[in-house]
Every structure is written in structure tokens, then in C-alpha cells.
Amino acid sequence: MAEKQPEDHSTNKLPQSSVTSVYEVEVADLSRSVTVTWSKNLMNYSLVISVENVSDENHYTCKIELKTWQFWGKKGLKSFDVDGKRVDIYWDFRQAKFTNNPEPSSDYYVAMVYGDEVVLVLGDLKKDAFKRTKKRPSLVEPILLCKKENVFGKKLFCTKTMLCSGDREHDVVIEISSSGFGDPEMWISIDGFEVIHVMNLNWRFRGNESVTTINNVLVQIFWDVHDWLFSDTGTGSGLFILQPGALECSSDSVRGGRNSNSNSGRSHDSALELPSNADQFFHIIYAWKFE
């Protein structure tokens, strides 16, 4: 169950900007969950890679600090043990391009190496990663299981999501109108195409819809924006969950549609229950609204 993240009332600060992705990776002779968390603050960016320990809850962790004003440290290598076996992390951020997000947008790589294989590689410079490590790609492809992130805005919230395995990331825009003559409204667009328009948001602040993108991909979208509308400060986070369906991706098929399952009368738990298929990718978005 996805739960709302609390605001830090003691310091009156919003949560740190972060993006977390969870992969299933064949590492140290076992299939394990590997959690990759990108974070950013006013001073620097950081990357934390945690590998599941199947025997207890103490995961194996490697942390990389990237200070924006320092050139050294933008290319490096760290090693750590997983079940007593060496795992190497190679990275190169020397030409990396950053936007407002904590995760680089392009021109970088991060490679996890175990034995003679690159078991996980992040970024768009994959050829450079294989050349530097001098290792072959893993025979078992890593699987992206889920993505979770904090995004911030006043009325507009932007992110990217995966809709098909091996496909490019797709642009997601969430927009809310809280002023005017009518009740608040909300729009959700994928790749510039409006897939959801919720009117009377005061009554439909929780719900879900099945939508079809212009690339003929079925996506389930869940939302809970109660805190946007009814919190004392008018801030707080909206919770969104995106899960692609089983339709095949086809760039030649252009189609749009909507199958509404919204129900403002549903409880918080039933409206935001995650699908039972754990092998299917889903994306959790905490959209933090500030004035």
C-alpha cells in the first residue's frame, strides 16, 4: 500500500527532492532487489545504491556524493561486499547534464559489476560503461520494478515514466486549477496528450481511471489529492500511482481513450490499493504543492 509522506512540521520544510528506482538484478549469484536513490539539496547531489541482503534487513549500500563545484569525484570507482563477494560501482558524471530533477538527464553512466558481468547500467552512455569496465553485459537482464519520487510545484507537476519495457521514458504532466468560478479541476497528460480531466475535484479527490495513450498503451492511474484541497495550509502532497497495462506498444497506432473508474465514495485504502501483480512496473509520485 502506498502511503502519504508526512511534511516535516518541526522545521516547516518539504521532503528532500529524490527519485528512487527498484530493480530486480542478478548479483552475487542471486536475484536481488537493487534500490537506486538520487537525491539533491542546495549543496550537492547524491546517489545511494542498496543491494538486498536475503538473510536479514541490513542491505549492502554504496553512496556517491557529487558536489557541484568539484570536478574531482565526478568519475570514480567504489567497491563493497555483497555476501562476502566483491561488487564494483563505476561512474562518470563529468559531462552529465542536470535539470531541476535530482537524476541526471543525459551524458552519464553508472555501472554495477559483479565478476565478469555488468549486471546493471544506468544512464545513456552505456557503451562508455562497457568500454571502461571491460566486462560483458549480464546474461540476465535487470528488471525495473517500480519508481518513486517527490516532485514540487504550485499548479504544474512534471515527471517521466516508463510505459513499455525497453522503451523510452514518457513525459507526464499533472496540472491543477484551484481558483476561478467553478470547483477545482485536474488534468493529467502523457506526451502532451490529455488522458484524464477531473472536474468537481472537491468531490473526486480520490479515484482511478484506465486510460489509453497515443501509443496504444493501457495505463491505470490512481490519485489522492485530499491534502491539496483540505489541508490547513493548502499545501501537502498529492499521491499518484501509474501502472502500465498489458497492451503492446505500437508507434504506428494512434489512439486515445478513457475508461473511468473514479469513485469519490471509495475509502482511501480501496482507492489506492496497488495491483497484486508484483512483477508489473508501477510509478509512485508524491506531488508536493506550495504557494
Side-chain angles (χ1 to χ4, degrees):
M1 183 70 60
E3 298 180 352
K4 300 299 284 293
Q5 289 188 344
E7 186 176 351
D8 186 353
H9 295 289
S10 62
T11 59
N12 198 28
K13 291 182 179 180
L14 294 176
Q16 186 179 39
S17 178
S18 64
V19 177
T20 298
S21 298
V22 180
Y23 298 83
E24 183 179 316
V25 181
E26 190 80 13
V27 56
D29 304 323
L30 289 174
S31 180
R32 306 170 188 261
S33 293
V34 174
T35 303
V36 178
T37 301
W38 303 87
S39 302
K40 130 179 168 173
N41 55 34
L42 293 177
M43 301 299 293
N44 63 355
Y45 294 83
S46 66
L47 169 63
V48 176
I49 300 176
S50 297
V51 180
E52 178 187 12
N53 184 342
V54 296
S55 60
D56 58 47
E57 295 182 354
N58 297 316
H59 292 187
Y60 308 102
T61 301
C62 176
K63 185 173 183 179
I64 301 169
E65 295 281 0
L66 180 62
K67 300 185 184 300
T68 55
W69 67 88
Q70 293 178 346
F71 184 81
W72 60 89
K74 293 188 177 182
K75 180 180 180 181
L77 164 65
K78 278 189 175 182
S79 301
F80 63 109
D81 288 341
V82 175
D83 287 352
K85 300 172 182 177
R86 175 173 167 171
V87 173
D88 297 321
I89 305 293
Y90 295 79
W91 70 88
D92 190 344
F93 297 113
R94 291 176 299 172
Q95 305 299 324
K97 293 181 174 59
F98 291 87
T99 59
N100 292 328
N101 298 319
E103 186 176 8
S105 59
S106 64
D107 299 327
Y108 77 99
Y109 67 79
V110 179
M112 174 183 286
V113 174
Y114 170 70
D116 294 327
E117 295 183 337
V118 178
V119 296
L120 177 66
V121 59
L122 310 172
D124 56 334
L125 300 183
K126 291 181 171 60
K127 290 184 179 179
D128 292 356
F130 291 124
K131 181 178 179 181
R132 180 181 172 200
T133 62
K134 299 179 181 178
K135 307 293 184 182
R136 65 174 184 268
S138 174
L139 299 177
V140 180
E141 284 284 336
I143 300 172
L144 178 60
L145 299 177
C146 73
K147 181 177 179 180
K148 180 176 71 174
E149 64 179 316
N150 292 318
V151 296
F152 301 87
K154 294 183 178 181
K155 297 181 179 180
L156 200 67
F157 306 87
C158 303
T159 185
K160 293 180 178 292
T161 192
M162 295 295 297
L163 297 180
C164 296
S165 178
D167 190 19
R168 65 176 179 86
E169 287 192 311
H170 297 261
D171 294 315
V172 176
V173 176
I174 301 166
E175 184 176 3
I176 182 174
S177 172
S178 56
S179 61
F181 296 105
D183 288 328
E185 300 178 58
M186 182 177 68
W187 298 264
I188 300 178
S189 300
I190 298 178
D191 290 337
F193 176 75
E194 181 185 302
V195 294
I196 288 180
H197 180 195
V198 182
M199 303 178 66
N200 303 316
L201 194 60
N202 279 333
W203 296 98
R204 300 179 63 200
F205 54 85
R206 295 188 184 118
N208 69 84
E209 292 191 10
S210 299
V211 303
T212 308
T213 72
I214 59 174
N215 293 325
N216 198 33
V217 179
L218 182 66
V219 183
Q220 293 280 341
I221 300 180
F222 304 75
W223 71 86
D224 178 353
V225 296
H226 176 275
D227 289 358
W228 283 359
L229 302 169
F230 304 113
S231 67
D232 294 336
T233 61
T235 58
S237 68
L239 173 61
F240 299 84
I241 304 173
L242 284 69
Q243 184 178 44
L247 293 185
E248 292 184 358
C249 292
S250 174
S251 59
D252 297 330
S253 179
V254 179
R255 173 185 166 193
R258 179 180 301 126
N259 178 21
S260 175
N261 294 303
S262 302
N263 188 341
S264 61
R266 302 180 74 179
S267 69
H268 173 79
D269 289 344
S270 62
L272 291 174
E273 185 176 357
L274 290 177
S276 59
N277 184 356
D279 295 331
Q280 195 170 0
F281 169 75
F282 59 91
H283 185 171
I284 301 174
I285 303 166
Y286 296 99
W288 291 92
K289 185 173 179 290
F290 60 86
E291 298 298 334

